[in-house]
Amino acid sequence: MKQVNIGILGLGTVGSAVAEVLRKNAPAIAEKTGIKIAVKKVCDIKRKKTAFSFTADPGDIIKDHDISIMVEAIGGVNPAKRLVLAALAEGKHVVTSNKELIALHMDEILSAAAKNGVSVLFEGSVGGGIPILAALRDNLSANRISEVYGIVNGTTNYILSKMAEEGKEFSEVLKEAQKKGFAEANPKLDIEGYDASYKAAILASVAFGAKVKWNDVYREGIEKVTSEDILYAGEIGYAVKLLAVAKMVDQALEVRVHPALVPINHPLANVAENFNAVYVKGFPVGELMFYGPGAGGNPTASAVISDIIQVASSKSKIQNSKLRNLKIKGIGEIKSRYYIRLQAPDRYGVLAGISKAFADKKVSIAAVTQKETVGDTSTIVILLHEVAEQNLKAALAVIGRLPVVRRVGNVIRIL
Ligand code: HSE
């Protein structure tokens, strides 16, 4: 039986779950895989109660020649990046679920791994316990992937689901999500789409074997989505979801995060609570949907331990040299359908002015609904046929200045 010695850096939610699962399950894992995983040392800045040998000095893991795999479970970029690079330089493989570190520094980290002939795996960085990266990298390698759509942030999915199901307001549901413990310490990272954008960059890199810099990911959060939008979307057969989108269109990549109207019969529309899901379309496989817990100690430990087994059995490597340089489209270049909510006085000339502005920029209207007027203001919901975003923006700039329009309330892309 092969034995692999690991060191765990960071004993927070993920690190302590990895240690605990291995303490209980290492023999069963060994029986199943032929690999005995021994936790040689665990490290944290604060002394923690643990069944394993504890150190407060990361150097005790990085410099230990008996340890071949370091699990980085500190989170954030610093000091995780410095310690990961130091471990790679010492010839250690690294397993991490650190989405921010991988999304922001994948190129540098994979280059360092290649230079030292070791691997870095990061299954837990996207979708927690959902084995999506291994599926894209290994099990689907016979496919040409065309589309990946993910609900990859549990907090925003929880908020949008509760707003839809219970008609609650944004701030109330955010507080609930924070209490439940899956929201980031800084909720801005969830709400404004940062967390999802890290995951989108990683998903796109792995799905398309491409170098995708985090800066290339267009990002919008859910802060502008109101319960009105969710209600109106529901009336016309859509759910509102925060999506990470990675798709190949005309030999170029689109990588973006934004709220989207998802048709109610699409499998992503029914992903509720804080669950995550990733929908993949490829040839020859067709359509696939991966669903599960996107955060939490045990689900992420499942991904981390699976990576340890992959590395120990020398099955998997993500090689930077093989990542392609593909064109990544700017947001103005993408084409989409759109939902638009406007507020306007209820009088003649309103729709005429709006439809002229759209027509002038070659934007085609698919449907218009005027909601009942409250006071002297009516809400108009417009659905558009597919159009280039730059044309839409040009039309909206005109519409926003029309004397017959009080406010462009929200603009949401339709999947
Ligand atoms: N804050 C993240 C979420 C945790 O809500 O999904 C998992 O990365």
Side-chain angles (χ1 to χ4, degrees):
M1 175 145 340
K2 185 172 179 178
Q3 171 159 335
V4 58
N5 294 331
I6 71 161
I8 302 174
L9 221 55
L11 287 178
T13 309
V14 174
S16 51
V18 171
E20 188 53 16
V21 171
L22 286 173
R23 186 182 70 76
K24 286 189 190 143
N25 290 5
I29 293 169
E31 202 173 305
K32 209 161 28 165
T33 63
I35 292 163
K36 185 170 173 234
I37 304 170
V39 181
K40 190 150 180 240
K41 266 177 210 142
V42 295
C43 174
D44 201 282
I45 39 171
K46 278 197 210 129
R47 172 130 210 121
K48 299 253 165 87
K49 234 177 107 184
T50 169
F52 301 103
S53 165
F54 179 87
T55 175
D57 178 3
D60 289 344
I61 289 178
I62 292 166
K63 298 278 179 195
D64 184 332
H65 295 301
D66 284 344
I67 292 177
S68 57
I69 301 176
M70 184 179 88
V71 173
E72 182 277 307
I74 303 171
V77 171
N78 288 310
K81 183 182 169 203
R82 177 173 57 79
L83 298 171
V84 162
L85 291 174
L88 295 173
E90 289 292 327
K92 289 187 177 18
H93 305 287
V94 170
V95 169
T96 178
S97 60
N98 187 332
K99 56 220 167 176
E100 191 177 355
L101 175 67
I102 296 299
L104 268 54
H105 301 287
M106 185 188 283
D107 199 22
E108 187 180 348
I109 288 172
L110 292 186
S111 298
K115 194 171 141 209
N116 293 289
V118 288
S119 296
V120 178
L121 288 185
F122 38 87
E123 181 62 63
S125 64
V126 179
I130 306 173
I132 181 63
L133 300 183
L136 288 167
R137 190 183 61 227
D138 300 327
N139 312 89
L140 294 171
S141 51
N143 285 266
R144 198 175 62 239
I145 305 294
S146 53
E147 291 170 17
V148 180
Y149 299 130
I151 292 175
V152 289
N153 180 266
T155 303
T156 46
N157 201 51
Y158 182 86
I159 293 173
L160 293 172
S161 301
K162 292 286 168 193
M163 283 170 76
E165 287 161 19
E166 297 170 19
K168 288 185 177 163
E169 277 310 322
F170 191 102
S171 52
E172 187 184 347
V173 198
L174 171 61
K175 276 190 205 121
E176 282 175 26
Q178 284 172 314
K179 269 194 215 140
K180 285 183 183 271
F182 42 78
E184 299 295 312
N186 174 4
K188 176 180 154 147
L189 294 176
D190 295 308
I191 306 305
E192 296 183 17
Y194 286 93
D195 176 77
S197 69
Y198 301 146
K199 294 163 179 169
I202 299 170
L203 268 179
S205 299
V206 176
F208 297 98
K211 285 190 183 174
V212 178
K213 293 199 198 81
W214 174 70
N215 288 342
D216 292 330
V217 182
Y218 173 81
R219 177 188 55 78
E220 267 175 42
I222 63 162
E223 60 274 33
K224 283 200 275 175
V225 177
T226 62
S227 30
E228 246 187 321
D229 290 320
I230 293 175
L231 178 72
Y232 298 154
E235 285 171 3
I236 50 174
Y238 293 91
V240 181
K241 296 288 181 191
L242 183 73
L243 289 189
V245 174
K247 62 198 262 199
M248 183 78 94
V249 182
D250 308 328
Q251 305 300 314
L253 270 183
E254 291 180 15
V255 192
R256 46 200 167 88
V257 167
H258 52 71
L261 263 62
V262 179
I264 211 74
N265 57 1
H266 191 286
L268 286 170
N270 296 306
V271 176
E273 302 269 331
N274 58 323
F275 279 97
N276 280 200
V278 183
Y279 165 91
V280 179
K281 194 169 173 185
F283 178 84
V285 72
E287 295 173 272
L288 299 168
M289 172 91 162
F290 299 81
Y291 171 89
N298 280 345
T300 311
S302 161
V304 167
I305 295 169
S306 151
D307 276 350
I308 295 170
I309 295 162
Q310 292 289 314
V311 171
S313 53
S314 319
K315 275 193 194 145
S316 261
K317 249 188 198 175
I318 296 176
Q319 285 173 309
N320 203 28
S321 55
K322 292 196 180 146
L323 294 179
R324 300 176 286 170
N325 284 306
L326 287 176
K327 173 183 157 57
I328 299 179
K329 288 191 187 184
I331 193 69
E333 296 173 272
I334 72 142
K335 283 187 179 164
S336 179
R337 297 194 61 214
Y338 295 85
Y339 154 102
I340 301 185
R341 174 171 52 81
L342 297 167
Q343 283 178 327
D346 190 5
R347 63 173 162 84
Y348 64 85
V350 172
L351 286 180
I354 294 168
S355 56
K356 179 174 183 315
F358 278 136
D360 286 349
K361 303 294 177 198
K362 300 187 171 55
V363 179
S364 174
I365 295 170
V368 181
T369 316
Q370 181 167 331
K371 302 288 169 189
E372 209 168 353
T373 304
V374 179
D376 67 341
T377 302
S378 64
T379 297
I380 301 168
V381 172
I382 304 175
L383 302 185
L384 299 177
H385 286 298
E386 188 175 77
V387 61
E389 179 132 345
Q390 55 205 5
N391 290 36
L392 172 77
K393 290 258 167 72
L396 286 175
V398 175
I399 289 169
R401 290 194 300 267
L402 289 177
V404 288
V405 170
R406 295 223 165 104
R407 207 166 78 87
V408 178
N410 207 354
V411 178
I412 308 180
R413 294 169 191 84
I414 303 176
L415 180 69

mmCIF file of all heavy atoms in Angstrom, residues 210-247:
data_model
loop_
_atom_site.group_PDB
_atom_site.id
_atom_site.type_symbol
_atom_site.label_atom_id
_atom_site.label_comp_id
_atom_site.label_asym_id
_atom_site.label_seq_id
_atom_site.Cartn_x
_atom_site.Cartn_y
_atom_site.Cartn_z
ATOM 1 N N ALA A 210 -7.968 27.254 -21.011
ATOM 2 C CA ALA A 210 -7.520 28.576 -21.461
ATOM 3 C C ALA A 210 -6.979 29.391 -20.292
ATOM 4 O O ALA A 210 -7.356 29.160 -19.142
ATOM 5 C CB ALA A 210 -8.689 29.324 -22.093
ATOM 6 N N LYS A 211 -6.103 30.330 -20.615
ATOM 7 C CA LYS A 211 -5.637 31.256 -19.574
ATOM 8 C C LYS A 211 -6.705 32.327 -19.421
ATOM 9 O O LYS A 211 -6.917 33.125 -20.328
ATOM 10 C CB LYS A 211 -4.322 31.911 -19.996
ATOM 11 C CG LYS A 211 -3.160 30.970 -19.887
ATOM 12 C CD LYS A 211 -1.835 31.658 -20.073
ATOM 13 C CE LYS A 211 -0.766 30.582 -20.010
ATOM 14 N NZ LYS A 211 0.572 31.038 -20.296
ATOM 15 N N VAL A 212 -7.372 32.326 -18.292
ATOM 16 C CA VAL A 212 -8.399 33.341 -18.053
ATOM 17 C C VAL A 212 -7.977 34.122 -16.817
ATOM 18 O O VAL A 212 -7.895 33.569 -15.722
ATOM 19 C CB VAL A 212 -9.788 32.698 -17.821
ATOM 20 C CG1 VAL A 212 -10.826 33.765 -17.531
ATOM 21 C CG2 VAL A 212 -10.192 31.865 -19.026
ATOM 22 N N LYS A 213 -7.694 35.368 -17.032
ATOM 23 C CA LYS A 213 -7.318 36.204 -15.881
ATOM 24 C C LYS A 213 -8.596 36.681 -15.202
ATOM 25 O O LYS A 213 -9.589 36.959 -15.869
ATOM 26 C CB LYS A 213 -6.533 37.424 -16.345
ATOM 27 C CG LYS A 213 -5.179 37.089 -16.915
ATOM 28 C CD LYS A 213 -4.323 38.366 -16.893
ATOM 29 C CE LYS A 213 -3.143 38.268 -17.820
ATOM 30 N NZ LYS A 213 -3.504 38.548 -19.217
ATOM 31 N N TRP A 214 -8.531 36.815 -13.898
ATOM 32 C CA TRP A 214 -9.711 37.261 -13.165
ATOM 33 C C TRP A 214 -10.182 38.629 -13.681
ATOM 34 O O TRP A 214 -11.384 38.881 -13.778
ATOM 35 C CB TRP A 214 -9.409 37.301 -11.656
ATOM 36 C CG TRP A 214 -10.543 37.895 -10.894
ATOM 37 C CD1 TRP A 214 -11.770 37.337 -10.696
ATOM 38 C CD2 TRP A 214 -10.568 39.183 -10.274
ATOM 39 N NE1 TRP A 214 -12.559 38.202 -9.974
ATOM 40 C CE2 TRP A 214 -11.839 39.341 -9.704
ATOM 41 C CE3 TRP A 214 -9.630 40.206 -10.141
ATOM 42 C CZ2 TRP A 214 -12.200 40.486 -9.014
ATOM 43 C CZ3 TRP A 214 -9.998 41.344 -9.448
ATOM 44 C CH2 TRP A 214 -11.277 41.476 -8.897
ATOM 45 N N ASN A 215 -9.223 39.484 -14.053
ATOM 46 C CA ASN A 215 -9.588 40.816 -14.581
ATOM 47 C C ASN A 215 -10.412 40.740 -15.854
ATOM 48 O O ASN A 215 -11.061 41.700 -16.232
ATOM 49 C CB ASN A 215 -8.320 41.610 -14.940
ATOM 50 C CG ASN A 215 -7.605 42.059 -13.707
ATOM 51 O OD1 ASN A 215 -8.189 42.081 -12.639
ATOM 52 N ND2 ASN A 215 -6.338 42.399 -13.855
ATOM 53 N N ASP A 216 -10.337 39.604 -16.541
ATOM 54 C CA ASP A 216 -11.092 39.441 -17.788
ATOM 55 C C ASP A 216 -12.553 39.090 -17.534
ATOM 56 O O ASP A 216 -13.349 39.017 -18.466
ATOM 57 C CB ASP A 216 -10.495 38.307 -18.640
ATOM 58 C CG ASP A 216 -9.116 38.664 -19.161
ATOM 59 O OD1 ASP A 216 -8.863 39.860 -19.384
ATOM 60 O OD2 ASP A 216 -8.306 37.733 -19.340
ATOM 61 N N VAL A 217 -12.895 38.813 -16.289
ATOM 62 C CA VAL A 217 -14.267 38.378 -15.987
ATOM 63 C C VAL A 217 -15.133 39.614 -15.730
ATOM 64 O O VAL A 217 -14.873 40.378 -14.794
ATOM 65 C CB VAL A 217 -14.298 37.453 -14.737
ATOM 66 C CG1 VAL A 217 -15.723 36.977 -14.460
ATOM 67 C CG2 VAL A 217 -13.362 36.265 -14.915
ATOM 68 N N TYR A 218 -16.156 39.799 -16.550
ATOM 69 C CA TYR A 218 -17.097 40.894 -16.315
ATOM 70 C C TYR A 218 -17.943 40.532 -15.093
ATOM 71 O O TYR A 218 -18.349 39.376 -14.935
ATOM 72 C CB TYR A 218 -17.989 41.091 -17.549
ATOM 73 C CG TYR A 218 -19.080 42.097 -17.301
ATOM 74 C CD1 TYR A 218 -18.822 43.457 -17.395
ATOM 75 C CD2 TYR A 218 -20.362 41.680 -16.949
ATOM 76 C CE1 TYR A 218 -19.820 44.388 -17.131
ATOM 77 C CE2 TYR A 218 -21.359 42.601 -16.687
ATOM 78 C CZ TYR A 218 -21.079 43.952 -16.775
ATOM 79 O OH TYR A 218 -22.068 44.850 -16.507
ATOM 80 N N ARG A 219 -18.212 41.499 -14.232
ATOM 81 C CA ARG A 219 -18.888 41.192 -12.965
ATOM 82 C C ARG A 219 -19.986 42.188 -12.620
ATOM 83 O O ARG A 219 -19.771 43.383 -12.681
ATOM 84 C CB ARG A 219 -17.838 41.188 -11.838
ATOM 85 C CG ARG A 219 -18.371 40.967 -10.442
ATOM 86 C CD ARG A 219 -17.273 41.180 -9.419
ATOM 87 N NE ARG A 219 -16.648 42.484 -9.558
ATOM 88 C CZ ARG A 219 -17.167 43.630 -9.130
ATOM 89 N NH1 ARG A 219 -18.321 43.627 -8.489
ATOM 90 N NH2 ARG A 219 -16.546 44.773 -9.327
ATOM 91 N N GLU A 220 -21.144 41.648 -12.311
ATOM 92 C CA GLU A 220 -22.230 42.437 -11.712
ATOM 93 C C GLU A 220 -22.790 41.610 -10.576
ATOM 94 O O GLU A 220 -22.916 40.386 -10.719
ATOM 95 C CB GLU A 220 -23.383 42.601 -12.720
ATOM 96 C CG GLU A 220 -23.357 43.831 -13.560
ATOM 97 C CD GLU A 220 -24.492 43.794 -14.584
ATOM 98 O OE1 GLU A 220 -25.620 43.403 -14.262
ATOM 99 O OE2 GLU A 220 -24.207 44.145 -15.742
ATOM 100 N N GLY A 221 -23.153 42.239 -9.482
ATOM 101 C CA GLY A 221 -23.725 41.494 -8.356
ATOM 102 C C GLY A 221 -25.239 41.561 -8.358
ATOM 103 O O GLY A 221 -25.854 41.961 -9.352
ATOM 104 N N ILE A 222 -25.833 41.186 -7.211
ATOM 105 C CA ILE A 222 -27.309 41.134 -7.154
ATOM 106 C C ILE A 222 -27.893 42.345 -6.428
ATOM 107 O O ILE A 222 -29.087 42.383 -6.146
ATOM 108 C CB ILE A 222 -27.815 39.848 -6.467
ATOM 109 C CG1 ILE A 222 -27.370 39.777 -4.992
ATOM 110 C CG2 ILE A 222 -27.368 38.605 -7.220
ATOM 111 C CD1 ILE A 222 -28.186 38.780 -4.182
ATOM 112 N N GLU A 223 -27.037 43.348 -6.147
ATOM 113 C CA GLU A 223 -27.525 44.431 -5.297
ATOM 114 C C GLU A 223 -28.655 45.245 -5.914
ATOM 115 O O GLU A 223 -29.409 45.901 -5.199
ATOM 116 C CB GLU A 223 -26.357 45.319 -4.816
ATOM 117 C CG GLU A 223 -25.529 46.013 -5.868
ATOM 118 C CD GLU A 223 -24.390 45.168 -6.435
ATOM 119 O OE1 GLU A 223 -24.549 43.937 -6.542
ATOM 120 O OE2 GLU A 223 -23.364 45.749 -6.824
ATOM 121 N N LYS A 224 -28.789 45.194 -7.258
ATOM 122 C CA LYS A 224 -29.863 45.991 -7.869
ATOM 123 C C LYS A 224 -31.154 45.192 -8.072
ATOM 124 O O LYS A 224 -32.166 45.739 -8.501
ATOM 125 C CB LYS A 224 -29.388 46.540 -9.215
ATOM 126 C CG LYS A 224 -28.446 47.736 -9.046
ATOM 127 C CD LYS A 224 -28.372 48.565 -10.310
ATOM 128 C CE LYS A 224 -27.353 47.996 -11.242
ATOM 129 N NZ LYS A 224 -27.206 48.574 -12.527
ATOM 130 N N VAL A 225 -31.086 43.871 -7.797
ATOM 131 C CA VAL A 225 -32.275 43.040 -8.031
ATOM 132 C C VAL A 225 -33.285 43.293 -6.903
ATOM 133 O O VAL A 225 -32.958 43.172 -5.729
ATOM 134 C CB VAL A 225 -31.906 41.530 -8.066
ATOM 135 C CG1 VAL A 225 -33.158 40.674 -8.231
ATOM 136 C CG2 VAL A 225 -30.905 41.256 -9.175
ATOM 137 N N THR A 226 -34.503 43.643 -7.292
ATOM 138 C CA THR A 226 -35.539 43.932 -6.284
ATOM 139 C C THR A 226 -36.571 42.798 -6.267
ATOM 140 O O THR A 226 -36.634 41.992 -7.208
ATOM 141 C CB THR A 226 -36.281 45.240 -6.612
ATOM 142 O OG1 THR A 226 -36.925 45.057 -7.890
ATOM 143 C CG2 THR A 226 -35.332 46.418 -6.695
ATOM 144 N N SER A 227 -37.399 42.777 -5.229
ATOM 145 C CA SER A 227 -38.449 41.745 -5.194
ATOM 146 C C SER A 227 -39.446 41.961 -6.333
ATOM 147 O O SER A 227 -40.050 41.007 -6.820
ATOM 148 C CB SER A 227 -39.157 41.690 -3.846
ATOM 149 O OG SER A 227 -39.168 42.935 -3.253
ATOM 150 N N GLU A 228 -39.547 43.201 -6.811
ATOM 151 C CA GLU A 228 -40.391 43.495 -7.987
ATOM 152 C C GLU A 228 -39.857 42.747 -9.219
ATOM 153 O O GLU A 228 -40.617 42.125 -9.956
ATOM 154 C CB GLU A 228 -40.257 44.994 -8.292
ATOM 155 C CG GLU A 228 -41.477 45.831 -8.114
ATOM 156 C CD GLU A 228 -41.201 47.244 -8.632
ATOM 157 O OE1 GLU A 228 -40.083 47.769 -8.424
ATOM 158 O OE2 GLU A 228 -42.122 47.812 -9.235
ATOM 159 N N ASP A 229 -38.529 42.824 -9.428
ATOM 160 C CA ASP A 229 -37.931 42.129 -10.583
ATOM 161 C C ASP A 229 -38.221 40.632 -10.505
ATOM 162 O O ASP A 229 -38.562 39.991 -11.504
ATOM 163 C CB ASP A 229 -36.405 42.325 -10.608
ATOM 164 C CG ASP A 229 -36.002 43.753 -10.947
ATOM 165 O OD1 ASP A 229 -36.637 44.355 -11.830
ATOM 166 O OD2 ASP A 229 -35.050 44.266 -10.321
ATOM 167 N N ILE A 230 -38.076 40.096 -9.297
ATOM 168 C CA ILE A 230 -38.274 38.648 -9.121
ATOM 169 C C ILE A 230 -39.732 38.290 -9.394
ATOM 170 O O ILE A 230 -40.032 37.297 -10.062
ATOM 171 C CB ILE A 230 -37.816 38.229 -7.701
ATOM 172 C CG1 ILE A 230 -36.290 38.402 -7.597
ATOM 173 C CG2 ILE A 230 -38.224 36.799 -7.380
ATOM 174 C CD1 ILE A 230 -35.702 38.159 -6.237
ATOM 175 N N LEU A 231 -40.642 39.150 -8.926
ATOM 176 C CA LEU A 231 -42.079 38.923 -9.139
ATOM 177 C C LEU A 231 -42.419 38.983 -10.634
ATOM 178 O O LEU A 231 -43.062 38.078 -11.180
ATOM 179 C CB LEU A 231 -42.864 39.983 -8.358
ATOM 180 C CG LEU A 231 -44.366 39.953 -8.497
ATOM 181 C CD1 LEU A 231 -44.924 38.741 -7.732
ATOM 182 C CD2 LEU A 231 -44.990 41.241 -7.938
ATOM 183 N N TYR A 232 -41.968 40.046 -11.300
ATOM 184 C CA TYR A 232 -42.298 40.199 -12.726
ATOM 185 C C TYR A 232 -41.668 39.089 -13.553
ATOM 186 O O TYR A 232 -42.277 38.572 -14.493
ATOM 187 C CB TYR A 232 -41.829 41.568 -13.256
ATOM 188 C CG TYR A 232 -42.483 42.754 -12.576
ATOM 189 C CD1 TYR A 232 -41.844 43.989 -12.518
ATOM 190 C CD2 TYR A 232 -43.741 42.644 -12.000
ATOM 191 C CE1 TYR A 232 -42.439 45.085 -11.891
ATOM 192 C CE2 TYR A 232 -44.343 43.724 -11.364
ATOM 193 C CZ TYR A 232 -43.687 44.943 -11.311
ATOM 194 O OH TYR A 232 -44.272 45.998 -10.688
ATOM 195 N N ALA A 233 -40.431 38.707 -13.207
ATOM 196 C CA ALA A 233 -39.768 37.618 -13.937
ATOM 197 C C ALA A 233 -40.571 36.329 -13.773
ATOM 198 O O ALA A 233 -40.804 35.600 -14.742
ATOM 199 C CB ALA A 233 -38.343 37.437 -13.423
ATOM 200 N N GLY A 234 -41.036 36.090 -12.539
ATOM 201 C CA GLY A 234 -41.834 34.884 -12.264
ATOM 202 C C GLY A 234 -43.119 34.868 -13.086
ATOM 203 O O GLY A 234 -43.526 33.830 -13.606
ATOM 204 N N GLU A 235 -43.740 36.048 -13.232
ATOM 205 C CA GLU A 235 -45.005 36.124 -13.986
ATOM 206 C C GLU A 235 -44.833 35.717 -15.447
ATOM 207 O O GLU A 235 -45.763 35.251 -16.072
ATOM 208 C CB GLU A 235 -45.549 37.562 -13.926
ATOM 209 C CG GLU A 235 -46.159 37.917 -12.582
ATOM 210 C CD GLU A 235 -46.504 39.413 -12.456
ATOM 211 O OE1 GLU A 235 -46.326 40.179 -13.429
ATOM 212 O OE2 GLU A 235 -46.928 39.803 -11.363
ATOM 213 N N ILE A 236 -43.614 35.925 -15.971
ATOM 214 C CA ILE A 236 -43.416 35.566 -17.385
ATOM 215 C C ILE A 236 -42.584 34.283 -17.534
ATOM 216 O O ILE A 236 -42.049 33.985 -18.598
ATOM 217 C CB ILE A 236 -42.773 36.739 -18.187
ATOM 218 C CG1 ILE A 236 -41.541 37.265 -17.437
ATOM 219 C CG2 ILE A 236 -43.793 37.837 -18.429
ATOM 220 C CD1 ILE A 236 -40.757 38.305 -18.210
ATOM 221 N N GLY A 237 -42.441 33.539 -16.427
ATOM 222 C CA GLY A 237 -41.843 32.202 -16.529
ATOM 223 C C GLY A 237 -40.339 32.129 -16.344
ATOM 224 O O GLY A 237 -39.687 31.235 -16.890
ATOM 225 N N TYR A 238 -39.795 33.057 -15.557
ATOM 226 C CA TYR A 238 -38.351 33.029 -15.312
ATOM 227 C C TYR A 238 -38.048 33.126 -13.820
ATOM 228 O O TYR A 238 -38.778 33.774 -13.071
ATOM 229 C CB TYR A 238 -37.657 34.222 -15.990
ATOM 230 C CG TYR A 238 -37.683 34.196 -17.501
ATOM 231 C CD1 TYR A 238 -38.718 34.808 -18.200
ATOM 232 C CD2 TYR A 238 -36.664 33.576 -18.215
ATOM 233 C CE1 TYR A 238 -38.739 34.798 -19.591
ATOM 234 C CE2 TYR A 238 -36.674 33.556 -19.600
ATOM 235 C CZ TYR A 238 -37.710 34.171 -20.281
ATOM 236 O OH TYR A 238 -37.732 34.165 -21.644
ATOM 237 N N ALA A 239 -36.908 32.517 -13.436
ATOM 238 C CA ALA A 239 -36.361 32.723 -12.090
ATOM 239 C C ALA A 239 -35.146 33.625 -12.236
ATOM 240 O O ALA A 239 -34.472 33.593 -13.278
ATOM 241 C CB ALA A 239 -35.935 31.388 -11.492
ATOM 242 N N VAL A 240 -34.865 34.432 -11.210
ATOM 243 C CA VAL A 240 -33.679 35.283 -11.266
ATOM 244 C C VAL A 240 -32.561 34.596 -10.483
ATOM 245 O O VAL A 240 -32.737 34.239 -9.317
ATOM 246 C CB VAL A 240 -33.952 36.688 -10.683
ATOM 247 C CG1 VAL A 240 -32.704 37.562 -10.776
ATOM 248 C CG2 VAL A 240 -35.122 37.353 -11.403
ATOM 249 N N LYS A 241 -31.414 34.393 -11.144
ATOM 250 C CA LYS A 241 -30.273 33.718 -10.528
ATOM 251 C C LYS A 241 -29.005 34.494 -10.808
ATOM 252 O O LYS A 241 -28.883 35.115 -11.878
ATOM 253 C CB LYS A 241 -30.116 32.302 -11.139
ATOM 254 C CG LYS A 241 -31.288 31.379 -10.856
ATOM 255 C CD LYS A 241 -31.281 30.970 -9.414
ATOM 256 C CE LYS A 241 -32.389 30.038 -9.007
ATOM 257 N NZ LYS A 241 -32.470 29.877 -7.554
ATOM 258 N N LEU A 242 -28.041 34.432 -9.885
ATOM 259 C CA LEU A 242 -26.724 34.991 -10.194
ATOM 260 C C LEU A 242 -25.941 33.882 -10.908
ATOM 261 O O LEU A 242 -25.691 32.824 -10.333
ATOM 262 C CB LEU A 242 -25.976 35.415 -8.924
ATOM 263 C CG LEU A 242 -24.625 36.084 -9.218
ATOM 264 C CD1 LEU A 242 -24.805 37.494 -9.785
ATOM 265 C CD2 LEU A 242 -23.734 36.147 -7.987
ATOM 266 N N LEU A 243 -25.574 34.140 -12.158
ATOM 267 C CA LEU A 243 -24.903 33.099 -12.946
ATOM 268 C C LEU A 243 -23.445 33.441 -13.213
ATOM 269 O O LEU A 243 -23.102 34.600 -13.468
ATOM 270 C CB LEU A 243 -25.583 32.941 -14.314
ATOM 271 C CG LEU A 243 -26.963 32.321 -14.376
ATOM 272 C CD1 LEU A 243 -27.322 32.056 -15.832
ATOM 273 C CD2 LEU A 243 -27.054 31.035 -13.561
ATOM 274 N N ALA A 244 -22.626 32.403 -13.171
ATOM 275 C CA ALA A 244 -21.271 32.495 -13.730
ATOM 276 C C ALA A 244 -21.381 31.865 -15.111
ATOM 277 O O ALA A 244 -21.832 30.728 -15.238
ATOM 278 C CB ALA A 244 -20.295 31.714 -12.866
ATOM 279 N N VAL A 245 -21.013 32.620 -16.122
ATOM 280 C CA VAL A 245 -21.164 32.157 -17.498
ATOM 281 C C VAL A 245 -19.784 32.029 -18.132
ATOM 282 O O VAL A 245 -18.975 32.951 -18.039
ATOM 283 C CB VAL A 245 -21.994 33.180 -18.326
ATOM 284 C CG1 VAL A 245 -22.048 32.792 -19.800
ATOM 285 C CG2 VAL A 245 -23.386 33.332 -17.736
ATOM 286 N N ALA A 246 -19.519 30.882 -18.735
ATOM 287 C CA ALA A 246 -18.299 30.730 -19.538
ATOM 288 C C ALA A 246 -18.717 30.016 -20.805
ATOM 289 O O ALA A 246 -19.227 28.892 -20.744
ATOM 290 C CB ALA A 246 -17.256 29.918 -18.772
ATOM 291 N N LYS A 247 -18.590 30.684 -21.927
ATOM 292 C CA LYS A 247 -18.996 30.025 -23.159
ATOM 293 C C LYS A 247 -18.105 30.419 -24.317
ATOM 294 O O LYS A 247 -17.514 31.507 -24.315
ATOM 295 C CB LYS A 247 -20.473 30.266 -23.465
ATOM 296 C CG LYS A 247 -20.868 31.700 -23.676
ATOM 297 C CD LYS A 247 -22.369 31.840 -23.533
ATOM 298 C CE LYS A 247 -23.045 31.853 -24.876
ATOM 299 N NZ LYS A 247 -24.402 32.435 -24.809
#
